[in-house]
Amino acid sequence: MSDLDFIKTTIELARDNVVRGGQPFGALLVRDGVVLADGVNESDIDHDCTAHAEIQAIRNAGKLHKTSSFAGSTMYASGKPCAMCMAAMIQAGVSKLVYCADDDVGEVFGWSTEYLYQRLQRDFGSQGIETTHLPLDEKTQIFEQYQAKFGKGSNEQMKG
């Protein structure tokens, strides 16, 4: 299948999702031409603001394939992913993104991602959420416990 074929599939997923009461977004996570999983935006259905199509595709792929790492994969999305979804793709190791509707199309219908990208460019603690740092040694001990048991943390997986 080609990029066009996969994008058309995300549009069909989005269309079917609207029919069942979901938001107009679909996504496919693909590696080596094989669909690992799909997802649709179920934020309104599940009352979960993180249930965007791209994140749902990553969640579904993780459960199905018993991993949280999808290096070498491509995310196909019917709309431009928001900053949260982009961060999830980075965390999952997605290598490529192909999307259909950009903000110039989405904004007309109230689906622009730009405000979130702009807000996240502000320095940490200046993004509109009151932020308090309360460091405790007990938390450091938990990091040490994890490292002794499993080795390095997830940041090592994300670098690249």
CSV table of all heavy atoms in Angstrom, one decimal, residues 77-100:
chain,number,residue,atom,x,y,z
A,77,ALA,N,-2.1,9.9,9.8
A,77,ALA,CA,-3.1,10.6,10.5
A,77,ALA,C,-4.0,11.4,9.6
A,77,ALA,O,-3.5,12.1,8.7
A,77,ALA,CB,-2.5,11.6,11.6
A,78,SER,N,-5.3,11.4,9.8
A,78,SER,CA,-6.3,12.1,9.0
A,78,SER,C,-6.2,13.6,9.2
A,78,SER,O,-6.5,14.4,8.3
A,78,SER,CB,-7.7,11.6,9.2
A,78,SER,OG,-8.1,11.9,10.5
A,79,GLY,N,-5.6,14.1,10.3
A,79,GLY,CA,-5.4,15.5,10.6
A,79,GLY,C,-4.1,15.7,11.2
A,79,GLY,O,-3.4,14.8,11.7
A,80,LYS,N,-3.7,17.0,11.2
A,80,LYS,CA,-2.4,17.3,11.8
A,80,LYS,C,-2.4,17.0,13.3
A,80,LYS,O,-3.3,17.5,14.0
A,80,LYS,CB,-2.1,18.8,11.6
A,80,LYS,CG,-0.8,19.3,12.2
A,80,LYS,CD,-0.6,20.8,12.1
A,80,LYS,CE,0.7,21.2,12.8
A,80,LYS,NZ,0.8,22.7,12.7
A,81,PRO,N,-1.5,16.2,13.7
A,81,PRO,CA,-1.4,15.8,15.2
A,81,PRO,C,-1.2,17.0,16.1
A,81,PRO,O,-0.4,17.9,15.7
A,81,PRO,CB,-0.3,14.8,15.3
A,81,PRO,CG,-0.2,14.2,13.9
A,81,PRO,CD,-0.5,15.4,13.0
A,82,CYS,N,-1.8,17.0,17.2
A,82,CYS,CA,-1.6,18.0,18.2
A,82,CYS,C,-0.2,17.8,18.9
A,82,CYS,O,0.4,16.7,18.7
A,82,CYS,CB,-2.7,18.1,19.2
A,82,CYS,SG,-2.7,16.7,20.4
A,83,ALA,N,0.2,18.7,19.7
A,83,ALA,CA,1.5,18.6,20.4
A,83,ALA,C,1.5,17.4,21.3
A,83,ALA,O,2.6,16.7,21.4
A,83,ALA,CB,1.8,19.9,21.2
A,84,MET,N,0.4,17.1,22.0
A,84,MET,CA,0.4,15.9,22.8
A,84,MET,C,0.6,14.6,22.0
A,84,MET,O,1.4,13.8,22.4
A,84,MET,CB,-1.0,15.8,23.5
A,84,MET,CG,-1.2,14.5,24.4
A,84,MET,SD,-2.9,14.4,25.1
A,84,MET,CE,-3.9,14.2,23.6
A,85,CYS,N,0.0,14.5,20.9
A,85,CYS,CA,0.1,13.3,20.0
A,85,CYS,C,1.5,13.3,19.4
A,85,CYS,O,2.1,12.2,19.3
A,85,CYS,CB,-0.9,13.3,18.9
A,85,CYS,SG,-2.6,13.1,19.5
A,86,MET,N,2.1,14.4,19.1
A,86,MET,CA,3.5,14.5,18.6
A,86,MET,C,4.4,14.0,19.7
A,86,MET,O,5.3,13.2,19.4
A,86,MET,CB,3.8,15.9,18.1
A,86,MET,CG,5.2,15.9,17.4
A,86,MET,SD,5.4,14.9,15.9
A,86,MET,CE,4.6,16.0,14.8
A,87,ALA,N,4.2,14.4,20.9
A,87,ALA,CA,5.1,14.0,22.0
A,87,ALA,C,4.9,12.5,22.2
A,87,ALA,O,5.9,11.8,22.4
A,87,ALA,CB,4.7,14.7,23.3
A,88,ALA,N,3.7,11.9,22.1
A,88,ALA,CA,3.5,10.5,22.2
A,88,ALA,C,4.3,9.7,21.1
A,88,ALA,O,4.8,8.7,21.4
A,88,ALA,CB,2.0,10.2,22.2
A,89,MET,N,4.2,10.3,19.9
A,89,MET,CA,4.9,9.6,18.8
A,89,MET,C,6.4,9.6,19.0
A,89,MET,O,7.1,8.6,18.8
A,89,MET,CB,4.6,10.3,17.5
A,89,MET,CG,3.2,10.0,17.0
A,89,MET,SD,2.8,10.6,15.4
A,89,MET,CE,2.3,12.3,15.8
A,90,ILE,N,7.0,10.7,19.5
A,90,ILE,CA,8.4,10.8,19.9
A,90,ILE,C,8.7,9.8,20.9
A,90,ILE,O,9.7,9.0,20.8
A,90,ILE,CB,8.8,12.2,20.3
A,90,ILE,CG1,8.7,13.2,19.1
A,90,ILE,CG2,10.2,12.3,20.9
A,90,ILE,CD1,8.7,14.7,19.5
A,91,GLN,N,7.9,9.7,22.0
A,91,GLN,CA,8.1,8.8,23.1
A,91,GLN,C,8.1,7.3,22.6
A,91,GLN,O,8.8,6.5,23.1
A,91,GLN,CB,7.0,9.0,24.1
A,91,GLN,CG,7.1,8.2,25.4
A,91,GLN,CD,8.2,8.7,26.4
A,91,GLN,OE1,8.6,9.8,26.3
A,91,GLN,NE2,8.6,7.8,27.2
A,92,ALA,N,7.2,7.1,21.6
A,92,ALA,CA,7.1,5.7,21.1
A,92,ALA,C,8.1,5.4,20.0
A,92,ALA,O,8.2,4.2,19.6
A,92,ALA,CB,5.7,5.5,20.5
A,93,GLY,N,8.9,6.3,19.6
A,93,GLY,CA,9.9,6.1,18.6
A,93,GLY,C,9.5,6.1,17.1
A,93,GLY,O,10.2,5.6,16.3
A,94,VAL,N,8.3,6.7,16.9
A,94,VAL,CA,7.8,6.7,15.5
A,94,VAL,C,8.8,7.5,14.7
A,94,VAL,O,9.3,8.6,15.1
A,94,VAL,CB,6.4,7.4,15.5
A,94,VAL,CG1,5.9,7.7,14.1
A,94,VAL,CG2,5.4,6.5,16.2
A,95,SER,N,9.1,7.1,13.5
A,95,SER,CA,10.1,7.7,12.7
A,95,SER,C,9.6,8.6,11.6
A,95,SER,O,10.3,9.5,11.1
A,95,SER,CB,10.9,6.6,11.9
A,95,SER,OG,11.5,5.7,12.9
A,96,LYS,N,8.3,8.5,11.2
A,96,LYS,CA,7.8,9.3,10.1
A,96,LYS,C,6.3,9.5,10.4
A,96,LYS,O,5.6,8.7,11.0
A,96,LYS,CB,7.9,8.5,8.8
A,96,LYS,CG,7.4,9.2,7.6
A,96,LYS,CD,7.6,8.4,6.3
A,96,LYS,CE,7.0,9.0,5.1
A,96,LYS,NZ,7.2,8.1,3.9
A,97,LEU,N,5.9,10.7,10.0
A,97,LEU,CA,4.5,11.1,10.1
A,97,LEU,C,4.0,11.5,8.7
A,97,LEU,O,4.6,12.3,8.0
A,97,LEU,CB,4.3,12.3,11.0
A,97,LEU,CG,3.0,13.0,11.0
A,97,LEU,CD1,1.9,12.1,11.5
A,97,LEU,CD2,3.1,14.3,11.8
A,98,VAL,N,2.8,11.0,8.3
A,98,VAL,CA,2.1,11.4,7.1
A,98,VAL,C,0.7,11.8,7.5
A,98,VAL,O,0.0,11.0,8.2
A,98,VAL,CB,2.1,10.3,6.0
A,98,VAL,CG1,1.3,10.8,4.8
A,98,VAL,CG2,3.5,9.8,5.7
A,99,TYR,N,0.3,13.1,7.3
A,99,TYR,CA,-1.0,13.5,7.7
A,99,TYR,C,-1.7,14.2,6.5
A,99,TYR,O,-1.1,14.6,5.6
A,99,TYR,CB,-0.9,14.4,8.9
A,99,TYR,CG,-0.3,15.7,8.7
A,99,TYR,CD1,-1.1,16.9,8.6
A,99,TYR,CD2,1.1,15.9,8.7
A,99,TYR,CE1,-0.6,18.1,8.4
A,99,TYR,CE2,1.6,17.2,8.6
A,99,TYR,CZ,0.8,18.3,8.4
A,99,TYR,OH,1.4,19.5,8.2
A,100,CYS,N,-3.1,14.3,6.7
A,100,CYS,CA,-3.9,14.8,5.6
A,100,CYS,C,-4.3,16.3,5.9
A,100,CYS,O,-3.7,17.2,5.3
A,100,CYS,CB,-5.1,14.0,5.5
A,100,CYS,SG,-6.2,14.5,4.1
